[in-house]
Amino acid sequence: MARRIVLLGAPGAGKGTQAKRLAETYGLPHISTGDIFRFHVEHGTELGRKIEEFMKNGKLVPDELACEIVAHRLGEADCRPGYILDGFPRSVPQARELDRLLELRNEQLNVAVEIDVDDEELVERLTARRTCPRCGAIYNLRFAPPARDELCDKPGCGGVRLVQRDDDQEQTIRERLKVYHETTEPIIAFYKQKGLLRSVGGRRLHPDDINAKIEDILRAMAED
Ligand code: AMP
């Protein structure tokens, strides 16, 4: 079974949702650079203060900072058996840095799975996205709503009110999509060239169906 997995795709394509499921299924850590950065902003750390403006405006945090965070996280013991990387790499220099980190450890990336969804659907999805501030569960008011009005369903949360991310406002979403096409999309070609890319069409698909497609890819790889 593939152990070191990168999930690629534009903001709102469902990387976070899929990464959480895969992490649970395979017992691997889910590493989301976006979650790590949001933690720092929320807690007002030194790093948080440096990156706040970039995030608020839908820009990428500078490569050095993203690479530093990931280098540190991948060095932790729970990453030894593998991991699901969500939101990193997001630029060609970051993809090269990931290669370098892997090489240093004599490890290999098994697969980069791209979830492909078109921009208009992404805007539709992101404006309706809500998350639970306590457990991090992701909902969509249109496509995957909670059972009760904007309240988390999970047993431990007891109806915590869901929140909208600051950067899920339409103008910021458009900026994030622009950044994605200009800076992040080129890494699809980077992984294709290495023979590591697998693409999943995610248009108008329920997260369960996208999950099934990804599982098929991972299963097929394990049989190779
Ligand atoms: P995400 O939760 O993955 O959508 O990320 C939210 C925001 O965090 C992005 O819009 C960027 O500002 C920042 N971010 C997350 N991952 C990276 C990364 N690998 N490189 C640069 N910025 C990032």
Side-chain angles (χ1 to χ4, degrees):
M1 184 54 69
R3 291 283 169 208
R4 293 185 199 89
I5 301 168
V6 162
L7 289 183
L8 301 174
K15 298 185 299 295
T17 303
Q18 297 303 327
K20 280 196 175 73
R21 289 195 187 197
L22 296 173
E24 235 168 70
T25 307
Y26 299 112
L28 296 172
H30 165 205
I31 303 175
S32 155
T33 40
D35 284 350
I36 297 172
F37 288 149
R38 271 185 293 280
F39 175 91
H40 281 275
V41 171
E42 276 156 28
H43 289 80
T45 66
E46 198 185 325
L47 173 65
R49 286 194 296 277
K50 278 191 204 159
I51 62 180
E52 198 167 4
E53 278 303 300
F54 295 104
M55 292 184 72
K56 209 166 65 197
N57 296 317
K59 307 273 187 210
L60 291 186
V61 165
D63 284 337
E64 316 83 77
L65 298 177
C67 291
E68 216 175 283
I69 284 283
V70 169
H72 179 261
R73 182 67 187 87
L74 296 189
E76 290 184 62
D78 64 330
C79 289
R80 231 169 277 147
Y83 39 79
I84 319 283
L85 266 177
D86 155 21
F88 186 94
R90 240 176 166 107
S91 66
V92 171
Q94 290 183 16
R96 293 219 174 92
E97 176 62 9
L98 178 61
D99 265 6
R100 195 186 68 85
L101 292 172
L102 287 161
E103 231 173 84
L104 280 177
R105 287 169 227 263
N106 215 0
E107 292 173 349
Q108 263 146 19
L109 191 68
N110 297 94
V111 66
V113 180
E114 178 212 2
I115 310 173
D116 184 28
V117 179
D118 62 54
D119 282 12
E120 284 319 304
E121 185 176 338
L122 292 169
V123 174
E124 225 179 280
R125 285 189 193 184
L126 286 171
T127 48
R129 176 161 75 177
R130 299 290 183 275
T131 48
C132 171
R134 184 172 302 163
C135 72
I138 303 169
Y139 295 87
N140 188 290
L141 299 183
R142 275 182 224 146
F143 311 113
R148 283 186 301 144
D149 253 14
E150 304 212 21
L151 302 176
C152 186
D153 289 339
K154 307 289 175 220
C157 292
V160 170
R161 183 153 296 279
L162 304 179
V163 295
Q164 184 174 32
R165 274 171 47 171
D166 286 347
D167 57 355
D168 277 347
Q169 308 293 334
E170 182 157 350
Q171 204 188 346
T172 316
I173 292 168
R174 300 245 175 231
E175 177 61 28
R176 288 161 64 206
L177 289 173
K178 186 166 154 259
V179 168
Y180 174 76
H181 292 303
E182 287 172 2
T183 313
T184 309
E185 218 164 39
I187 63 181
I188 290 174
F190 177 91
Y191 285 120
K192 197 179 215 167
Q193 207 180 10
K194 289 176 171 285
L196 289 175
L197 185 76
R198 301 287 184 280
S199 291
V200 168
R203 290 173 198 180
R204 304 280 161 210
L205 276 191
H206 190 274
D208 290 349
D209 300 319
I210 299 180
N211 180 251
K213 287 189 180 198
I214 299 177
E215 296 270 355
D216 284 348
I217 290 171
L218 299 182
R219 222 170 293 123
M221 289 179 59
E223 284 161 12
D224 271 353

